[in-house]
């Protein structure tokens, strides 16, 4: 891998070319700071991404590059591989109701924003679903979890577990929580 490295006060510019993937990834690596999106019902857990790009709560306050605001996309700087031939960059937190789901929506990190969030210090993270402000989440452990992380879903009804959840989710471990911007 060939690279040109230049330093700046807030970011580092890295231009890289990989002959193996034949991909040119100009990137601005943003400055990182302690994660400010904490789970209220699970002290010491913070919003993050799994190595597969899933939305998780992890038991570490990692240094991350987050962008968020009031009625704005929420994004997290991530490094692939999430799919082949992708460059590092911001991925956006989106919510979408899976077919036949009642009371919750799946959360994903995607290349483009679809969901807009209200994220202001001292308040819970929230979005609007069907004209109603929603600020509760359901956190569940994965069936084959080898760590202490939780998969995260947006709670859109009275459910406190994931009905019709994928077989990879252990519904006996689900906890209702809010994500507080600290």
């Amino acid at each position: 891998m060939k690279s040109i490295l230049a330093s700046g006060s807030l970011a580092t510019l890295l231009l890289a070319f990989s002959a193996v993937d034949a991909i040119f990834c100009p990137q601005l690596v943003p400055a990182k700071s302690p994660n400010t999106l904490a789970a209220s019902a699970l002290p010491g857990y913070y919003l993050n991404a799994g190595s597969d790009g899933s939305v998780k709560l992890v038991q570490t306050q990692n240094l991350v590059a987050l962008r968020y605001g009031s009625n704005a996309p929420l994004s997290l700087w991530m490094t692939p591989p999430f799919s082949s031939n992708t460059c590092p960059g911001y991925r956006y937190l989106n919510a979408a109701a899976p077919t036949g789901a009642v009371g919750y929506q799946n959360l994903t990190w995607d290349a483009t924003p679809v969901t807009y969030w209200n994220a202001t210090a001292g308040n819970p993270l929230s979005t609007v679903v069907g004209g109603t402000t929603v600020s509760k989440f359901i956190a569940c452990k994965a069936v084959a979890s080898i760590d202490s992380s939780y998969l995260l879903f947006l709670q859109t009804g009275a459910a406190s577990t994931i009905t019709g959840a994928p077989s990879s989710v252990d519904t006996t471990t689900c906890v209702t929580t809010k994500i507080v911007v600290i």
Side-chain angles (χ1 to χ4, degrees), residues 38-46 57-61 148 150 175-178:
S40 62
L42 296 163
Y45 280 82
Y46 299 86
L57 292 177
V58 296
Q59 197 175 15
T60 303
Q61 188 177 18
S148 59
Y150 287 82
V175 175
T176 302
T177 189
K178 291 187 176 195

Side-chain angles (χ1 to χ4, degrees), residues 9 39 42 44 69 77 85 126 128-129 141 158 169 178 181:
S9 61
L42 296 163
W77 181 267
N85 295 328
S126 66
V128 176
V129 176
K141 289 198 176 263
V169 175
K178 291 187 176 195
V181 183

Side-chain angles (χ1 to χ4, degrees), residues 91-147:
R91 299 294 187 263
Y92 298 90
L93 181 63
N94 289 318
T99 305
V102 176
Y104 75 97
Q105 291 189 356
N106 287 334
L107 294 171
T108 56
W109 293 108
D110 300 310
T112 56
V114 175
T115 306
Y116 287 75
W117 301 90
N118 287 309
T120 54
N123 293 305
L125 182 64
S126 66
T127 190
V128 176
V129 176
T132 303
T133 299
V134 178
S135 62
K136 290 185 180 177
F137 296 82
I138 302 171
C140 305
K141 289 198 176 263
V143 170
S145 180
I146 57 172
D147 60 17

Side-chain angles (χ1 to χ4, degrees), residues 8-180:
S9 61
L10 294 177
T12 301
L13 177 63
L14 175 66
L15 298 174
F17 177 76
S18 169
V20 175
D21 295 333
I23 227 177
F24 181 68
C25 293
Q27 79 185 11
L28 180 63
V29 180
K32 294 182 177 183
S33 58
N35 193 330
T36 56
L37 301 173
S40 62
L42 296 163
Y45 280 82
Y46 299 86
L47 182 69
N48 214 316
S51 60
D52 60 353
S54 59
V55 180
K56 289 189 169 190
L57 292 177
V58 296
Q59 197 175 15
T60 303
Q61 188 177 18
N62 294 327
L63 293 178
V64 295
L66 286 165
R67 295 188 307 191
Y68 54 81
S70 180
N71 195 29
L74 186 152
S75 59
L76 173 67
W77 181 267
M78 294 185 199
T79 303
F82 300 119
S83 61
S84 62
N85 295 328
T86 58
C87 293
Y90 281 102
R91 299 294 187 263
Y92 298 90
L93 181 63
N94 289 318
T99 305
V102 176
Y104 75 97
Q105 291 189 356
N106 287 334
L107 294 171
T108 56
W109 293 108
D110 300 310
T112 56
V114 175
T115 306
Y116 287 75
W117 301 90
N118 287 309
T120 54
N123 293 305
L125 182 64
S126 66
T127 190
V128 176
V129 176
T132 303
T133 299
V134 178
S135 62
K136 290 185 180 177
F137 296 82
I138 302 171
C140 305
K141 289 198 176 263
V143 170
S145 180
I146 57 172
D147 60 17
S148 59
S149 66
Y150 287 82
L151 296 170
L152 198 61
F153 303 87
L154 181 65
Q155 183 183 25
T156 57
S160 59
T161 190
I162 306 299
T163 306
S167 60
S168 61
V169 175
D170 181 355
T171 58
T172 64
T173 64
C174 295
V175 175
T176 302
T177 189
K178 291 187 176 195
I179 305 300
V180 180

